[in-house]
Amino acid sequence: MTLRVGTRGSALAMAQTKALAARFAGDVEIVEITTKGDVDRTSLSQLGGTGVFVSALRDALLEGRVDVAVHSMKDLPTAPAAGIELAAVAKREDPRDALCARDGLTLAGLPEGAKVGTGSPRRAAQLRLARPDIEVVDIRGNVPTRLARAQGDDADLDAVVLALAGLKRLGLDGSATELLDLVDFPTAPAQGALAVEIREGDGASRAAVAKTDHGPTRAAADAERRVLAGLEAGCAAPVAAHAEVADGMLFLTAIAYATDGSRRLGASHAFTLDSSSPADLAEGARDVAERAVAELLEAGAADLVHEARTEG
């Protein structure tokens, strides 16, 4: 059979889906699906953020128009979807954010009052925390459109912040003038990872995509997304989480920010893995996320999330 693979029609979505689908078993057909997030130019926080790039793909999957849906995993709502199974989480690309500035500038080198574009409340809060003197500008659009705002012929910004993974998948990583470190700029949960969804119980599609599943990435993304769920956050809340599996342990750091960058609350935890089995990795993801969420809530993270929703 030919596996019909659904994806958004943006250049980035197409590039990452085609690269991943080349590893699926058998013949594949790429099916372009238009989502609400592709046609509505409203800011993501006003749109509600969570799910705006996902719902149409999931509808196509449930209606049988596609057999597989490929998503940027950071776009997926944290709640499970009825009738849909997460069949694979592909090995994560470099999750860091990249500053793409005019004239090769770094974040520290930007002049006072510089305009920096991002559509992410998390990135906005991090930028304001690091450089209170700059102006953060809300922007939307695909990767080339946003990049042109800082480095195009008609640029109107001094810099933009984009996911390095997206730049690399489009062959545009040479546009980055600084890679922001994960200590001071932890990223969105599951940033850089791709999720492969199928209809629940569809064994043929599950088998076709099975070899693209990467256990350590699945566990890390699960831990990060559990932080979002536990804080009842979402795309509109400035919450960062980064986990990784290394040296027989699963590490997680999670941070909640005030939208104006005036405050940050953090928690870091680790879990010793007995093995690299899916069950052990899943247990580790649950453990570190639960402990991080409990610590953040005790410190007052719920207030930051509520403030972000109110302001959005």
Side-chain angles (χ1 to χ4, degrees), residues 130-299:
R131 287 289 307 268
D133 59 304
I134 65 173
E135 178 184 350
V136 178
V137 179
D138 185 54
I139 60 172
R140 284 288 311 278
N142 59 33
V143 170
T145 298
R146 284 178 285 160
L147 188 58
R149 295 286 299 272
Q151 297 182 347
D153 292 337
D154 298 316
D156 62 332
L157 301 174
D158 295 288
V160 294
V161 179
L162 302 169
L164 177 60
L167 292 171
K168 293 182 74 169
R169 287 167 178 150
L170 287 171
L172 296 172
D173 45 310
S175 302
T177 55
E178 182 181 8
L179 302 182
L180 304 179
D181 70 86
L182 291 169
V183 174
D184 293 324
F185 297 90
T187 59
Q191 183 162 306
L194 300 180
V196 182
E197 292 188 326
I198 62 173
R199 284 183 295 279
E200 192 172 23
D202 183 354
S205 295
R206 186 188 307 114
V209 306
K211 69 179 180 180
T212 64
D213 191 44
H214 187 250
T217 297
R218 180 187 279 260
D222 183 30
E224 294 161 11
R225 284 163 49 77
R226 284 177 179 273
V227 171
L228 269 190
L231 295 180
E232 297 182 358
C235 294
V239 172
H242 178 69
E244 62 180 316
V245 176
D247 300 323
M249 302 188 76
L250 194 159
F251 301 91
L252 169 69
T253 294
I255 300 177
Y257 299 88
T259 54
D260 63 2
S262 61
R263 288 177 292 160
R264 57 171 273 170
L265 302 172
S268 295
H269 292 277
F271 179 87
T272 301
L273 298 163
D274 294 326
S275 70
S276 59
S277 70
D280 204 31
L281 287 167
E283 181 185 356
R286 286 192 298 271
D287 177 84
V288 292
E290 287 174 359
R291 285 189 282 145
V293 168
E295 183 176 340
L296 288 170
L297 289 175
E298 184 176 356

Side-chain angles (χ1 to χ4, degrees), residues 83-158:
I84 288 178
E85 177 182 329
L86 180 61
V89 179
K91 185 176 181 179
R92 177 155 34 193
E93 181 55 270
D94 191 324
R96 288 177 293 177
D97 281 331
L99 183 81
C100 302
R102 63 174 175 82
D103 305 324
L105 291 171
T106 63
L107 182 59
L110 289 172
E112 184 176 347
K115 295 182 178 181
V116 181
T118 178
S120 160
R122 169 193 58 83
R123 288 175 181 147
Q126 291 173 335
L127 288 167
R128 290 173 179 134
L129 179 64
R131 287 289 307 268
D133 59 304
I134 65 173
E135 178 184 350
V136 178
V137 179
D138 185 54
I139 60 172
R140 284 288 311 278
N142 59 33
V143 170
T145 298
R146 284 178 285 160
L147 188 58
R149 295 286 299 272
Q151 297 182 347
D153 292 337
D154 298 316
D156 62 332
L157 301 174
D158 295 288

